[in-house]
Amino acid sequence: MRTRRLALTAAGTVLALAAGGPVAAAPSPPPAPKPQLTDQAVQKAVDRLPQYIADTMRSTGVPGLSVAVVHRDEVIYLKGFGVRRTGQSGGVGPDTVFQIASLSKPISSTVVAGTLKDPAGFADRTELPGFALKDPWVTAHVTTTDLFSHRSGLPDHAGDLLEDLGYDRAYILDHLRLEPLSPFRASYAYTNFGFTAAAEAIARAHGTSWQKLAADTLFKPAGMTRTSTEFSAFAKAPDHAATHVKNPDGTWSPRYVRDPDAQAPAGGVSSTARDMARWMRLQLGDGTLDGKRIIPSATLQRTHLPEIVSQDVNATGRPTFYGLGWNVTYDDAGRLRLSHSGAFDLGANTNVTLLPLEQLGIVVLTNGAPVGLADAVALDFFDTAEHGKPTTDWLPLTAALYAKLDDADRSKTDYAHPPANAKPARADSAYTGTYDNPYYGRLTVTADPAGKGLTLSLGPKPLRFPLTHYDGDTFSFVTAGENAVGRTGVTFSDGTVRIEYLDENHLGTFTRR
């Protein structure tokens, strides 16, 4: 739609010139937006936070939350709520370390901005051994900007399923070359490992690791003493928040551990509300903090520019763009709004939202799988600051958005209930054996010696999944990991086996050796 609109505009200009008619002078630009929020308005929003957070934590059951608000280069609110881990007494405070998931992306774009002297550096080609895309021309032209704004053409979340199966970063980046591509720089699809490839290429160009580059460029100079890109630092922190998921009975428990090291620049940062407040002050201070220049102004501002349309409309009803690690929108007053959410289905949800013109920002960190809480707190805060009270009940809206995302990839087939006229399976020997796939590697199917059924094994470790018969040559198993989608189908046919949830991009068929 956007391309078509631009084409029509150009065609209209050509027709006017060809007709010899006068060309109207370009209209004057609209006046620059001005700050609108008073200290009193912001304070009213701050005063609402404790009760709103308590109420929404009670209604969702999310165990712990930490929040920071900055305004005009001051931290005006900093507090923890709830517990770090259910069943234990340790409470959440401003220095509790949380996994921030995809909130890592604007952190990482800040790091890259700090390594560049000129914004043009974001247009440098991404060169990393073992990384290529399916189209050699795209490989030769893809840049940091393309990968940081998810416009490389890689499919949505390309590589994430390989991570779930246990493959390391090198394997995943090497196999992105097999992923089908959408039009380069003309399509948006969120990709953690494309983002990671660009960041790793920049670290390599500086002769160091991404972890050290982030620490030396941002964390140490900004005094973010409890922030890291390494899972081990999070796991060893005495004051860290365990990740929690919701149980069928409505309670929450820390059943899973999420190690995101493979995609560290895209989702592997851990931090605290206090450290994130320092980073927000740096962002709103145009790269300065406590009177010290940390990040060049020009390169930091470059990360705030829109690069591609990411949503026709967002939760507020406005179009959303993606910049360099940021969701970028403009409100009705023309003010820039920057935001990003982070979510681990294995137990974390975060949000940061900045209104640079107002020098106002909020960060919300939680230790529960996404149910909309972090986003609702941020949206309610800004809504109250703008209007004196919330104009919308944000939690049901954000909860519904996450529920929709959760359901989107689930199979349309209910494999837990075979059809009444289901055909029987063949003998186990018809299915057992080793199968190969250029993207997902080796798959083996083995039969239990006691006749208790088939087991499918995937990944380098490997992971083992008991198969349940559904109908004829179709079985199913319960998926696992960050991108689990419930039961998925397994269909055997003429020496091949197709795994349904691995086959969205037609890469999920394995061939018997």
Side-chain angles (χ1 to χ4, degrees):
M1 183 182 291
R2 188 183 182 201
T3 304
R4 188 177 303 161
R5 189 181 305 123
L6 290 173
L8 288 171
T9 302
T13 303
V14 171
L15 288 172
L17 290 171
V23 178
S28 299
K34 296 180 180 180
Q36 298 181 9
L37 301 182
T38 64
D39 289 347
Q40 292 78 13
V42 172
Q43 189 58 49
K44 188 169 186 178
V46 169
D47 291 342
R48 175 175 163 80
L49 276 173
Q51 190 61 54
Y52 182 75
I53 289 172
D55 290 344
T56 50
M57 288 182 69
R58 188 180 305 112
S59 67
T60 61
V62 171
L65 179 151
S66 193
V67 60
V69 177
V70 299
H71 187 221
R72 297 180 181 172
D73 202 33
E74 292 185 8
V75 181
I76 62 172
Y77 191 76
L78 182 64
K79 188 173 175 59
F81 297 80
V83 296
R84 300 193 301 262
R85 186 183 185 95
T86 55
Q88 297 183 5
S89 59
V92 170
D95 296 312
T96 299
V97 181
F98 286 78
Q99 290 183 288
I100 68 172
S102 284
L103 196 47
S104 303
K105 292 180 176 68
I107 296 282
S108 295
S109 70
T110 308
V111 172
V112 174
T115 68
L116 302 176
K117 296 180 180 179
D118 188 288
F122 282 108
D124 288 348
R125 176 190 167 196
T126 295
E127 296 186 74
L128 184 68
F131 170 72
L133 300 177
K134 192 165 189 177
D135 185 330
W137 189 92
V138 175
T139 301
H141 290 82
V142 70
T143 67
T144 303
T145 294
D146 299 320
L147 292 165
F148 269 31
S149 62
H150 309 296
R151 65 180 199 188
S152 67
L154 280 169
D156 183 67
H157 287 82
D160 285 8
L161 292 173
L162 290 174
E163 183 190 19
D164 275 5
L165 294 176
Y167 288 104
D168 61 18
R169 179 190 302 147
Y171 181 97
I172 297 168
L173 295 184
D174 180 65
H175 285 72
L176 291 181
R177 71 185 70 231
L178 300 178
E179 291 275 10
L181 295 179
S182 298
F184 182 47
R185 296 179 180 163
S187 53
Y188 170 87
Y190 193 87
T191 51
N192 290 307
F193 283 98
F195 192 104
T196 295
E200 289 292 332
I202 289 164
R204 184 175 184 275
H206 284 79
T208 188
S209 67
W210 175 255
Q211 288 75 15
K212 189 172 189 308
L213 187 68
D216 292 347
T217 305
L218 177 61
F219 303 158
K220 291 177 183 178
M224 299 169 68
T225 59
R226 291 178 173 85
T227 303
S228 174
T229 66
E230 296 175 275
F231 176 74
S232 60
F234 165 77
K236 292 175 183 176
D239 183 6
H240 79 266
T243 52
H244 295 76
V245 295
K246 196 171 185 177
N247 300 312
D249 64 0
T251 62
W252 291 74
S253 60
R255 286 192 283 143
Y256 303 107
V257 174
R258 174 73 166 101
D259 180 348
D261 275 353
Q263 53 165 280
V269 175
S270 58
S271 189
T272 69
R274 191 185 305 275
D275 276 9
M276 293 297 287
R278 293 190 65 79
W279 173 72
M280 288 193 295
R281 287 176 55 211
L282 181 150
Q283 286 283 335
L284 296 170
D286 202 27
T288 63
L289 184 63
D290 296 332
K292 178 184 176 183
R293 170 65 61 186
I294 306 294
I295 307 294
S297 172
T299 56
L300 185 65
Q301 289 181 10
R302 180 67 181 78
T303 67
H304 299 167
L305 298 178
E307 296 294 336
I308 192 164
V309 175
S310 56
Q311 288 178 283
D312 291 335
V313 293
N314 62 7
T316 64
R318 298 184 180 90
T320 300
F321 307 91
Y322 205 92
L324 302 182
W326 282 105
N327 291 307
V328 181
T329 59
Y330 297 88
D331 64 17
D332 292 340
R335 292 174 299 180
L336 170 70
R337 180 173 296 204
L338 303 170
S339 67
H340 213 289
S341 297
F344 285 159
D345 279 350
L346 297 185
N349 191 202
T350 59
N351 179 279
V352 64
T353 304
L354 306 178
L355 203 56
L357 186 64
E358 304 289 354
Q359 293 292 287
L360 181 63
I362 185 171
V363 65
V364 186
L365 311 177
T366 79
N367 62 350
V371 291
L373 175 59
D375 305 84
V377 170
L379 287 163
D380 186 273
F381 173 79
F382 274 96
D383 202 10
T384 302
E386 290 280 353
H387 302 106
K389 61 181 180 180
T391 61
T392 300
D393 187 358
W394 290 105
L395 184 58
L397 178 59
T398 56
L401 289 173
Y402 279 109
K404 183 178 180 181
L405 289 172
D406 189 49
D407 290 340
D409 294 326
R410 292 185 179 273
S411 176
K412 293 180 174 60
T413 302
D414 182 4
Y415 289 105
H417 298 90
N421 58 346
K423 300 181 181 67
R426 290 180 286 163
D428 287 349
S429 59
Y431 310 112
T432 55
T434 300
Y435 301 75
D436 287 322
N437 177 291
Y439 186 77
Y440 289 107
R442 185 173 63 181
L443 175 155
T444 59
V445 178
T446 55
D448 182 84
K452 294 182 179 180
L454 300 171
T455 297
L456 182 149
S457 299
L458 274 171
K461 292 184 178 179
L463 301 178
R464 292 179 171 83
F465 303 97
L467 293 180
T468 300
H469 182 250
Y470 177 70
D471 184 13
D473 291 332
T474 298
F475 296 74
S476 73
F477 67 87
V478 178
T479 54
E482 176 63 28
N483 300 280
V485 293
R487 282 198 172 272
T488 193
V490 179
T491 302
F492 295 86
S493 176
D494 297 326
T496 67
V497 56
R498 174 184 173 270
I499 311 298
E500 182 182 19
Y501 91 117
L502 301 182
D503 201 41
E504 182 176 355
N505 299 318
H506 307 295
L507 296 173
T509 296
F510 298 71
T511 303
R512 190 192 295 242
R513 287 182 178 178

